[in-house]
Amino acid sequence: MNQSKQSVRSGLISRAMVESIVKLNPITMMKNPVMFVVEIGTFLVLLMMIMPKQFDAEGRFGYNLSVFLILLFTILFANFAEALAEGRGKAQADSLKKTKKGTIAKKVVKSGTIKEVSSEDLRKGDIVLIETGDMVPGDGEIIEGLASIDESAITGESAPVIKEAGGDFSSVTGGTKVVSDFIKVRITADPGESFLDKMISLVEGAKRQKTPNEIALNILLVTLTIIFLLVVVTIVPIADYVGVNLEVSTLIALLVCLIPTTIGALLSAIGIAGMDRVTRFNVLAMSGKAVEAAGDINTIILDKTGTITFGNRLAAEFIPVGWSSKKELTEMAVVTSLFDETPEGRSVVELARKQGFTSDTSKYESGDIVPFTAEERMSGINLNGFHYRKGAVDSIIKFVEKQAGEIPEDLKKKSDEIAKKGGTPLAVCMNDRIYGLIYLKDTVKPGMRERFDELRKMGIKTIMCTGDNPLTAATIAKEAGVDDFIAESKPEDKIRVIREEQEKGKLVAMTGDGTNDAPALAQADVGLAMNSGTIAAKEAANMVDLDSDPTKIIEVVAIGKQLLMTRGSLTTFSIANDIAKYFAIIPAMFTAAIPEMQALNIMGLHSPTSAIISALIFNAIIIPLLIPLAMKGVKYVPMSANKLLYKNIVIYGVGGIVVPFIGIKLIDMIVKVFM
């Protein structure tokens, strides 16, 4: 395993080395204005070496060669950082390309017969039969059948998932494999437009667009570059006035050291690495903007079931009402649940068994099963004129009242108490008598309160959406620690909340998997769709979670914050670097003509030439030294903006001044040996 990882790592590095040379193309370099200026300077120094007379540089070949090589390696290191970040995505894209090669599809033609065709020949609307062991030839919707599907090629998750026709879990992705049963699928994407094709293009970074924050930072870097270019040009007449002859190569060295080359070299790599981090977290970001927007999120809309809670409401307690005993209620609850194969039904029988209930239930096996329906909202069995039912409290009350039965006085009080605890009360009756309540409890996932506390420290508001009644919703919201909740919510409620937050100037994130979530996912600034959900949801969102874990939105926000922090920290470090390099080069340029400027040579550098060479070398080697930090990202810890600013100034501001002083001095001590 270690050898395999080492092989992959060495492959990425060798590819990045080649790419760093290819990226020397001026057309490519123009996309990074700061490094493009460095490349122009490198070319000018090369001309000085080739034509020394024209540039009045005779006798300075060794010095100019040193400057040229250092500048060249500065550019190569910058290109290497970007190529290494891109290389991770390309390596993943290569493995995905292998997944989609050579798939044979069993196309169902109009006559109903099966015709084997290449997956590349399938078009939207075609229907294919996929049996056990077959690869899914393209994206589509299941129109018939149910199957267990291995999605590990896409998600990395080894456990197969069940997909069936109808509902929100009927979409399949090309490149996955059917491991049991069969399905018929209607293809929903033409070749080149599938989800797998989108993944390949996205992880390769081919469609990565610069985010607003990155564009703003680029403008800042370009502005600083222009300012320092004007400064360097202005220094020439000043130097002439005091009798100092500055060589072109020295002026170029000064310009390269003063402009923010460090962040200019790493900026693109930081953005690409941010997208790569969410991809490695099994979240597919449709653009760099989505990742960065996650870092600026102010509000998160979360479903309750399956996100904040486990989603399975299980029997926790039997609560008798009226003059019924717990033993009578337990028996009636078991009778109504004998043939209920839902998790709730099985949990009722299991709870009774754990509490020591023993009774001969075989006499009920001949009864007529009454399945649960959305209209009746209850289920049970009919046997020998007896009607056993369990269901929603109001439905059971109506059922009993039709038979002129009396409603126990304590029924409402006890059902409200269950609701206040965040549970769901199910009433149990036989004919005209209500025996009591089954307390169904949906448990909040461990650690959710702590995670929401972290979001609160980030300044992010959390809103829970649930179809539960207000009492249940309030209890769960309090237990989980969310800031607000919407009870009995409908799809339009989510859109309304998102728009209200956005009108306040806030960025909103939400998760969803169903077709009814698609409008809200599209409206949100960061929409995280579940891979197990519908195609409509995945197309509406700007992120897709391949593991279908709704809580992952919290980690996505942290990754977005980390991207912004990394960019801010390295920008602070880069600009602070310029201060130290200023004290290295400026005194070296003017000390001979103006001895008083020796006071600025606080590093005690050996000579003007060694000072310039040392500053240039440090300027070059700091780039590869910071590549691991740019790729991994600055560790994110939730804190206020003021604390974050203070931390940046102390660590990366002060550090950005101290490190160059030490580094340039050490390099100067080595350089003077060779001079």
Side-chain angles (χ1 to χ4, degrees):
M1 178 65 73
N2 289 335
Q3 288 181 348
S4 175
K5 285 184 178 179
Q6 187 67 31
S7 176
V8 171
R9 191 178 293 113
S10 61
L12 287 175
I13 291 174
S14 60
R15 179 190 286 186
M17 286 180 175
V18 173
E19 283 292 314
S20 63
I21 297 172
V22 174
K23 288 176 178 287
L24 288 174
N25 185 336
I27 297 175
T28 303
M29 292 297 298
M30 286 178 68
K31 297 177 183 177
N32 189 334
V34 177
M35 298 314 299
F36 182 58
V37 169
V38 179
E39 185 173 50
I40 293 173
T42 307
F43 179 71
L44 289 175
V45 177
L46 178 62
L47 288 179
M48 292 173 64
M49 293 165 55
I50 298 172
M51 300 180 293
K53 289 183 179 180
Q54 285 79 353
F55 286 89
D56 193 22
E58 293 179 286
R60 299 289 284 171
F61 181 84
Y63 173 70
N64 290 336
L65 177 62
S66 300
V67 173
F68 169 75
L69 290 175
I70 296 169
L71 293 180
L72 178 61
F73 276 100
T74 302
I75 302 168
L76 289 174
F77 287 150
N79 290 348
F80 178 77
E82 183 176 15
L84 191 62
E86 292 174 345
R88 288 184 177 182
K90 289 178 180 177
Q92 187 179 359
D94 289 342
S95 66
L96 290 172
K97 286 174 182 176
K98 293 177 184 177
T99 301
K100 62 175 295 206
K101 285 182 179 178
T103 304
I104 299 298
K106 299 173 182 176
K107 182 179 177 181
V108 180
V109 297
K110 290 184 178 179
S111 62
T113 58
I114 303 297
K115 179 183 178 182
E116 290 193 352
V117 299
S118 170
S119 60
E120 295 179 357
D121 295 329
L122 293 175
R123 296 292 183 272
K124 272 184 185 178
D126 288 346
I127 295 174
V128 294
L129 172 67
I130 310 171
E131 299 175 299
T132 302
D134 291 345
M135 296 291 289
V136 177
D139 294 359
E141 293 276 0
I142 300 174
I143 59 173
E144 181 183 333
L146 174 149
S148 178
I149 300 177
D150 177 7
E151 296 186 328
S152 58
I154 306 297
T155 67
E157 176 57 51
S158 58
V161 295
I162 304 297
K163 296 288 185 81
E164 61 182 325
D168 287 343
F169 300 96
S170 61
S171 70
V172 291
T173 305
T176 55
K177 184 178 181 180
V178 173
V179 294
S180 71
D181 302 294
F182 79 94
I183 50 176
K184 282 186 179 179
V185 172
R186 179 183 292 110
I187 299 298
T188 56
D190 289 330
E193 299 176 357
S194 69
F195 183 65
L196 194 56
D197 289 309
K198 291 177 182 177
M199 283 184 67
I200 291 169
S201 65
L202 287 166
V203 297
E204 283 181 324
K207 295 184 179 179
R208 196 186 87 86
Q209 296 179 339
K210 290 182 178 177
T211 62
N213 185 288
E214 193 174 348
I215 291 171
L217 186 52
N218 261 315
I219 293 172
L220 172 64
L221 298 183
V222 171
T223 303
L224 289 174
T225 301
I226 294 172
I227 290 172
F228 284 120
L229 181 61
L230 294 174
V231 169
V232 171
V233 171
T234 306
I235 283 179
V236 176
I238 296 174
D240 287 339
Y241 179 76
V242 296
V244 177
N245 181 30
L246 295 178
E247 300 174 60
V248 175
S249 54
T250 300
L251 291 171
I252 291 172
L254 175 63
L255 176 63
V256 170
C257 286
L258 291 184
I259 64 176
T261 50
T262 306
I263 187 61
L266 297 173
L267 184 59
S268 183
I270 294 168
I272 295 171
M275 286 188 68
D276 179 66
R277 275 196 293 276
V278 294
T279 302
R280 287 174 174 268
F281 206 69
N282 252 8
V283 174
L284 182 65
M286 300 305 180
S287 70
K289 289 182 180 180
V291 181
E292 187 168 298
D296 283 328
I297 287 300
N298 305 107
T299 305
I300 297 181
I301 310 293
L302 294 156
D303 280 327
K304 186 205 76 172
T305 306
T307 302
I308 295 174
T309 64
F310 283 109
N312 291 329
R313 296 168 179 265
L314 305 179
E317 188 179 354
F318 297 120
I319 303 173
V321 295
W323 43 273
S324 300
S325 68
K326 187 171 183 179
K327 183 179 179 180
E328 289 176 318
L329 168 61
T330 303
E331 182 174 358
M332 292 301 106
V334 170
V335 170
T336 59
S337 304
L338 281 175
F339 308 101
D340 184 352
E341 292 302 317
T342 64
E344 293 89 345
R346 290 195 296 269
S347 72
V348 170
V349 178
E350 180 64 19
L351 177 63
R353 185 187 65 78
K354 287 181 179 178
Q355 293 184 352
F357 172 77
T358 55
S359 179
D360 182 16
T361 57
S362 60
K363 59 185 177 182
Y364 299 106
E365 292 178 358
S366 59
D368 297 324
I369 300 173
V370 179
F372 176 87
T373 64
E375 291 78 18
E376 297 291 335
R377 295 167 64 210
M378 56 185 177
S379 62
I381 63 170
N382 296 330
L383 179 66
N384 301 326
F386 292 96
H387 305 285
Y388 303 89
R389 296 287 187 275
K390 77 169 187 292
V393 175
D394 56 343
S395 297
I396 295 296
I397 289 174
K398 291 178 182 177
F399 180 81
V400 170
E401 286 178 340
K402 283 183 181 178
Q403 301 181 64
E406 292 187 5
I407 308 303
E409 293 181 1
D410 56 348
L411 177 65
K412 186 177 186 310
K413 178 184 176 183
K414 290 185 176 180
S415 63
D416 286 347
E417 287 175 354
I418 292 174
K420 287 178 181 178
K421 294 177 183 178
T424 300
L426 289 183
V428 179
C429 72
M430 183 186 71
N431 292 345
D432 60 351
R433 176 182 169 188
I434 297 178
Y435 284 81
L437 299 164
I438 302 172
Y439 175 13
L440 295 182
K441 188 176 181 181
D442 188 5
T443 309
V444 173
K445 292 179 179 179
M448 291 305 294
R449 174 173 283 277
E450 290 75 16
R451 299 181 85 180
F452 290 136
D453 285 342
E454 286 185 12
L455 289 172
R456 201 169 291 110
K457 290 176 184 176
M458 299 180 200
I460 297 173
K461 178 182 179 182
T462 51
I463 301 176
M464 179 187 77
C465 289
T466 175
D468 290 336
N469 63 65
L471 284 174
T472 302
T475 303
I476 292 291
K478 183 178 180 181
E479 184 179 347
V482 295
D483 298 308
D484 201 356
F485 67 90
I486 303 172
E488 300 175 344
S489 72
K490 303 177 183 64
E492 52 268 30
D493 292 327
K494 294 179 182 178
I495 298 178
R496 175 181 54 78
V497 174
I498 291 171
R499 286 175 176 166
E500 287 177 355
E501 292 293 310
Q502 288 173 334
E503 286 171 2
K504 298 174 185 176
K506 297 180 179 180
L507 296 184
V508 184
M510 79 156 286
T511 63
D513 57 10
T515 301
N516 61 346
D517 291 324
L521 286 168
Q523 180 68 38
D525 299 285
V526 175
L528 180 64
M530 303 298 104
N531 188 45
S532 60
T534 62
I535 289 176
K538 288 189 278 189
E539 288 183 346
N542 52 20
M543 287 189 181
V544 177
D545 176 18
L546 302 180
D547 294 330
S548 300
D549 176 8
T551 63
K552 201 177 284 186
I553 187 67
I554 298 173
E555 277 78 13
V556 170
V557 169
I559 291 172
K561 294 276 187 188
Q562 185 185 39
L563 184 151
L564 295 176
M565 277 187 62
T566 303
R567 188 181 294 156
S569 299
L570 291 183
T571 300
T572 304
F573 185 87
S574 177
I575 294 174
N577 260 248
D578 295 338
I579 298 173
K581 287 179 281 188
Y582 168 87
F583 280 101
I585 294 182
I586 296 296
M589 294 170 62
F590 291 97
T591 298
I594 310 175
E596 290 80 4
M597 289 198 71
Q598 182 63 31
L600 292 177
N601 186 19
I602 56 179
M603 293 187 221
L605 302 179
H606 175 66
S607 68
T609 301
S610 72
I612 293 169
I613 295 297
S614 299
L616 272 180
I617 292 174
F618 177 85
N619 192 63
I621 65 173
I622 196 64
I623 294 172
L625 291 177
L626 289 174
I627 287 177
L629 182 61
M631 300 284 282
K632 186 179 179 181
V634 175
K635 184 179 179 181
Y636 175 67
V637 178
M639 63 180 70
S640 67
N642 289 336
K643 285 185 178 180
L644 181 58
L645 178 62
Y646 178 76
K647 179 183 175 183
N648 262 357
I649 293 173
V650 171
I651 297 177
Y652 297 98
V654 176
I657 296 173
V658 174
V659 171
F661 270 89
I662 298 172
I664 292 172
K665 178 61 179 178
L666 291 175
I667 295 170
D668 180 71
M669 292 168 66
I670 297 171
V671 168
K672 74 178 182 180
V673 175
F674 297 95
M675 296 186 65

